[in-house]
Amino acid sequence: DENDVGAYIEKAANLKAVITNDVIAINRKNLRPIAYQFWGFMVQCVNELPRMKDKSDSLYRRLLMVPFVKSFTGRERRYTKEEYSARPVDKAYVLHRVLNMSDYYELGEPQACLDLLGEQKLATNPVEEFWAEFSGRFAWNFLPFPFLHALYVAWLRRTNPSGYPVSSHALTKELVRLAQAGDMWACPDPAKKSREGARMQRVELLIAE
């Protein structure tokens, strides 16, 4: 069925468990709880990027976001739903295909799906949005973590005044992950002190901005 537009997903633990066929607990009203393992195939229909508190890769790895780019407004063929879905021969054909499907299959990940997942990450994770905007703009070739946190806080106040900035430690951890996932920046050991050498001699205009 359709999901509510603008709904916020506070907890995604059961969603992730259902996707990977893990056991979940179901609390039944006035009955004892039961353990349940779902083996079906889940499809969620949304009309906008979902708003989720969980921004972890453990969730993103489970999602295959498929963009629907076509619009059929004004060209609806009602007889497709009214006639075809009621004909016994068509129902038998669909049933035949379902019963003869392989027991296991894996969906591919076209570039359009990967691009949409990237949009989802930017929409739900301000740190990813911050890094996507600034990672290619620095004049310095060496970026101290205190400088990055100060820049991030200033950027967040400008773009989202009601937002809460993450701590310096949390930002460092997330930026190291993003840097390692790309090919522009590197941070082999964030706990190790490094010398900037000649990598900060240029004027970093982002300080003034």
Side-chain angles (χ1 to χ4, degrees):
D1 202 355
E2 293 279 351
N3 284 284
D4 292 333
V5 176
Y8 182 69
I9 301 175
E10 179 75 20
K11 299 178 180 180
N14 280 343
L15 174 65
K16 292 191 290 186
V18 167
I19 293 174
T20 50
N21 310 122
D22 297 326
V23 176
I24 62 173
I26 298 179
N27 292 319
R28 302 181 297 172
K29 189 173 183 179
N30 298 325
L31 296 171
R32 64 178 180 82
I34 61 172
Y36 179 71
Q37 191 172 17
F38 178 73
W39 289 100
F41 183 75
M42 178 171 33
V43 178
Q44 298 280 346
C45 301
V46 295
N47 288 315
E48 64 177 8
L49 293 175
R51 299 171 57 242
M52 299 181 290
K53 183 177 181 180
D54 192 333
K55 305 174 180 64
S56 66
D57 282 336
S58 66
L59 173 62
Y60 293 140
R61 285 194 300 268
R62 289 169 162 87
L63 301 181
L64 179 64
M65 304 187 70
V66 182
F68 279 53
V69 297
K70 298 294 184 180
S71 175
F72 300 96
T73 304
R75 290 178 288 176
E76 184 179 4
R77 298 177 179 178
R78 294 184 178 275
Y79 62 85
T80 301
K81 184 176 182 179
E82 296 172 353
E83 296 180 15
Y84 291 179
S85 62
R87 295 196 306 199
V89 64
D90 293 322
K91 292 181 179 181
Y93 171 75
V94 173
L95 179 62
H96 171 77
R97 292 299 300 266
V98 171
L99 293 178
N100 287 278
M101 289 175 64
S102 57
D103 292 334
Y104 174 81
Y105 65 98
E106 186 171 321
L107 298 175
E109 291 185 291
Q111 188 60 45
C113 296
L114 297 176
D115 292 342
L116 185 58
L117 182 60
E119 291 183 29
Q120 172 68 29
K121 291 180 179 181
L122 291 179
T124 57
N125 190 343
V127 176
E128 292 225 18
E129 185 180 359
F130 163 77
W131 188 242
E133 179 175 339
F134 287 100
S135 60
R137 294 180 55 191
F138 297 106
W140 289 343
N141 293 322
F142 180 87
L143 304 174
F145 290 124
F147 160 70
L148 287 172
H149 188 259
L151 180 64
Y152 158 74
V153 171
W155 168 82
L156 190 67
R157 287 174 178 168
R158 184 185 66 189
T159 57
N160 186 12
S162 61
Y164 292 94
V166 299
S167 67
S168 178
H169 176 75
L171 181 76
T172 297
K173 183 178 179 180
E174 185 72 3
L175 290 181
V176 168
R177 181 187 68 81
L178 294 173
Q180 291 174 342
D183 54 6
M184 185 180 299
W185 297 91
C187 182
D189 186 359
K192 181 181 178 181
K193 290 186 177 181
S194 303
R195 295 184 180 274
E196 68 271 16
R199 294 177 291 177
M200 296 177 67
Q201 291 184 349
R202 299 179 65 184
V203 177
E204 182 53 79
L205 299 177
L206 288 174
I207 295 176
E209 182 179 332

